Amino acid sequence: MNEIATVLAALQLGDSFFPSGGTSFSWGLETLRADGLVRTAADVEALVAGQIEHRWVSFDRPAVTAAHAAAGDIDAVCVIDREVDAATLAREAREGARRIGTSVLKVHEGMGTPGVPEYRARIRAGDAFGQMAVVQGFVARASGLDADTACAMSAHQLVLSLVSAALRLGLIGHVDAQRIFVGQRDRVGTLMRQPVPDISELHAYTPAAEIAMMRHETGNGRMFAS
Amino acid sequence: MKPDDLVDATPAQFELGFERSPGGATVLRRQLVAYPFHVGRVLHVPGDPAGFATVYVQSCSGGLFQGERLRLAVTAEAGAQVHLTTAASTIVHAMPGGAAEQSLTIEARDGALVEYLPDPLILFPTAKLTTTLTIRAAETATVLAGESFLLHDPKGGDGAFDLLGSETRVEAADGRLLALDRFRVDGSSVIGARPGVNGAFGLQGTLMLVHRSDPDSALEALRSALPESPGVFAGASLLPGDCGAWLRVLARDAIALRAVMRAGWMAARRLVTGSAPGIRRK
């Protein structure tokens, strides 16, 4: 692909118009707001930064990177997918990431993205779950995007789902949302200069968001699926 | 380095093997304990079911120190029922030029119940600790494992630990991975109190209730232990791999933390034996 075609592919696949279902999830934000632990735009900004620094960089990014590298070897992709699933302990986080991953794969199958039918067959056979970060790396490679671009898209989609939830929860306005995106550019760029942890080293430290998702399972008045 | 390499590199300094005797009592059949560990005799706590064993694992050294690599292994044979705990919190001392590691493997065979509920780790400034817990459970076994930590600067300042790396693996009897909790955090991030990370809560506790025969009941038990008070933020959920449930709590003080951990323990015990545990004053 030439450079412009690559940028266009990244814009298409990273856009909220892409039907991944990602904006149905708040990843704990709905409960954090209901419990009074996130109240202001500054809180939302700090939450987004915390999710990037304490989860995305050490959990999603290595999963995206490993899946991108393994994309031609469906057995290896399934191993990564199962590892990510086993390491996603809050049920709504685990099942939400499965739902997004499987939705993305379904759309890519319709688009004719190579390798996707095999991945979906393995999910149907119970060998894999279609974990979001793994699917992101896999389809980015299959769409001709490099690993850094795949990681940047994964970070962008995380920020997108959090700010879009915050907007609908009335925590921030449109300008706040765009400012938060700008603020994450340098953070993600700097973090991406660090070595990528191996898939056997996936780790995260976001207990408040995890607990919020666990509480969300039994909470009332739910607008989001997590 | 992977935890498995470390286990292979040095023999366990601490191994306990429990069995259920023909009379039904859980007995300590095998014991290999080297410095700094000390194991008290097997106790029966009034209020526990007949034959239920309680064992205190103590350290003579007064905590965890720089350069220590401790290996522990506990096996519960079919039908054994044992509660393992510590006599007090474990101080993780300052480590200006090194780190410490502790790994524990718990194997629970058919119908066994193992409770491993140590008191909290107290992380001193510059402490660097990596802990690994591997739970290998038969389909009919139950394992309840707890971990909790708080930070403390004995000089009264705001010195913070450098690293807590914690890994809990739940495996089937054949070693297949079912669930994995791995976090790494430094004290300044905890003090940073970011929303969604740990918020304004400085203490954390986790209970893993591996109960493969009935994960939904395990979740129901842990949910029943969740408090609704402003000083704590806690939740429970089903573990991946249909292997049980887990609870995580963030708290503002050690009393609130202990109350949740204890409520979770009581609910888990009731699930397996039908009655709450006898409580022994520490």
Side-chain angles (χ1 to χ4, degrees):
Chain A
M1 270 197 294
N2 69 39
E3 204 176 315
I4 293 297
T6 306
V7 172
L8 288 171
L11 285 169
Q12 179 193 352
L13 303 183
D15 189 358
S16 59
F17 185 68
F18 192 91
S20 64
T23 48
S24 309
F25 298 84
S26 87
W27 309 113
L29 184 54
E30 184 173 25
T31 302
L32 289 169
R33 178 182 178 268
D35 287 332
L37 298 176
V38 172
R39 299 168 192 269
T40 64
D43 289 345
V44 173
E45 191 156 11
L47 172 103
V48 173
Q51 292 294 311
I52 292 285
E53 288 181 7
H54 291 284
R55 181 174 175 90
W56 177 82
V57 69
S58 55
F59 195 95
D60 295 64
R61 180 185 175 220
V64 172
T65 307
H68 187 277
D73 178 352
I74 192 64
D75 288 332
V77 172
C78 291
V79 169
I80 297 163
D81 188 308
R82 291 196 296 269
E83 180 88 7
V84 169
D85 197 84
T88 309
L89 284 206
R91 193 178 87 195
E92 286 191 354
R94 183 167 66 247
E95 293 181 352
R98 288 180 189 171
R99 267 174 60 186
I100 293 172
T102 51
S103 301
V104 168
L105 285 175
K106 190 174 175 199
V107 178
H108 273 275
E109 182 161 339
M111 290 158 63
T113 307
V116 170
E118 290 75 15
Y119 195 174
R120 292 190 75 207
R122 296 296 289 265
I123 294 168
R124 281 194 296 274
D127 292 340
F129 298 96
Q131 274 290 327
M132 173 179 68
V134 181
V135 169
Q136 286 169 335
F138 181 89
V139 298
R141 174 81 175 268
S143 307
L145 300 171
D146 65 20
D148 276 355
T149 306
C151 288
M153 285 165 57
S154 151
H156 175 74
Q157 282 161 342
L158 172 60
V159 177
L160 177 64
S161 73
L162 291 171
V163 299
S164 125
L167 191 70
R168 282 177 287 160
L169 288 165
L171 286 160
I172 58 171
H174 280 286
V175 176
D176 298 317
Q178 295 307 315
R179 240 196 20 246
I180 292 171
F181 273 112
V182 173
Q184 299 315 308
R185 282 185 204 158
D186 282 347
R187 177 169 282 108
V188 171
T190 304
L191 290 170
M192 279 184 55
R193 284 199 284 274
Q194 294 177 4
V196 189
D198 188 74
I199 193 74
S200 64
E201 298 284 318
L202 295 177
H203 60 96
Y205 177 73
T206 52
E210 277 175 330
I211 291 168
M213 284 187 273
M214 301 202 272
R215 294 169 67 78
H216 193 265
E217 292 176 21
T218 53
N220 297 322
R222 301 188 301 160
M223 195 191 320
F224 293 91
S226 75
Chain B
M1 195 180 286
K2 287 181 196 149
D4 288 353
D5 300 336
L6 295 171
V7 174
D8 292 340
T10 21
Q13 288 154 302
F14 174 105
E15 279 181 42
L16 298 178
F18 294 92
E19 281 180 25
R20 186 186 163 97
S21 72
T26 295
V27 294
L28 184 54
R29 191 67 79 196
R30 198 159 42 77
Q31 178 177 351
L32 195 154
V33 177
Y35 180 84
F37 295 111
H38 170 74
V39 170
R41 64 193 173 81
V42 173
L43 305 168
H44 180 264
V45 175
D48 277 350
F52 199 105
T54 290
V55 171
Y56 281 77
V57 178
Q58 289 165 280
S59 165
C60 311
S61 68
L64 284 164
F65 293 89
Q66 180 173 308
E68 282 187 315
R69 290 170 62 179
L70 306 178
R71 308 276 164 272
L72 301 87
V74 173
T75 306
E77 300 295 343
Q81 294 187 319
V82 60
H83 174 79
L84 295 158
T85 187
T86 50
S89 300
T90 300
I91 292 171
V92 189
H93 291 273
M95 302 186 193
E101 294 169 8
Q102 176 169 296
S103 80
L104 166 63
T105 302
I106 296 172
E107 285 214 47
R109 307 238 153 89
D110 295 331
L113 168 62
V114 179
E115 297 171 347
Y116 173 69
L117 296 171
D119 292 286
L121 298 167
I122 300 181
L123 298 153
F124 276 19
T126 75
K128 287 181 274 302
L129 174 65
T130 307
T131 68
T132 310
L133 169 62
T134 304
I135 298 167
R136 208 166 288 135
E139 281 187 36
T140 54
T142 300
V143 176
L144 176 70
E147 178 189 69
S148 54
F149 71 86
L150 55 113
L151 26 59
H152 178 67
D153 183 350
K155 292 188 178 131
D158 54 4
F161 64 94
D162 284 346
L163 172 72
L164 175 62
S166 167
E167 174 176 313
T168 302
R169 300 176 68 85
V170 181
E171 299 179 352
D174 62 4
R176 183 168 52 92
L177 178 67
L178 300 172
L180 173 66
D181 181 35
R182 193 188 288 121
F183 68 85
R184 284 181 200 162
V185 64
D186 60 285
S188 40
S189 293
V190 174
I191 291 167
R194 267 186 182 157
V197 179
N198 60 303
F201 304 93
L203 294 82
Q204 178 179 314
T206 307
L207 286 172
M208 291 278 179
L209 177 52
V210 178
H211 190 64
R212 298 173 62 198
S213 59
D214 189 355
D216 291 326
S217 298
L219 176 60
E220 202 178 312
L222 292 184
R223 275 189 182 150
S224 75
L226 294 175
E228 281 303 335
S229 64
V232 294
F233 191 52
S237 184
L238 280 176
L239 286 166
D242 295 323
C243 67
W246 71 301
L247 178 156
R248 179 153 279 163
V249 51
L250 291 167
R252 290 203 171 94
D253 64 74
I255 294 165
L257 175 70
R258 195 174 68 169
V260 177
M261 298 293 274
R262 177 167 285 192
W265 171 37
M266 296 181 89
R269 176 71 74 83
R270 268 192 229 103
L271 170 70
V272 180
T273 69
S275 59
I279 304 286
R280 192 168 185 271
R281 190 184 282 272
K282 288 189 180 175

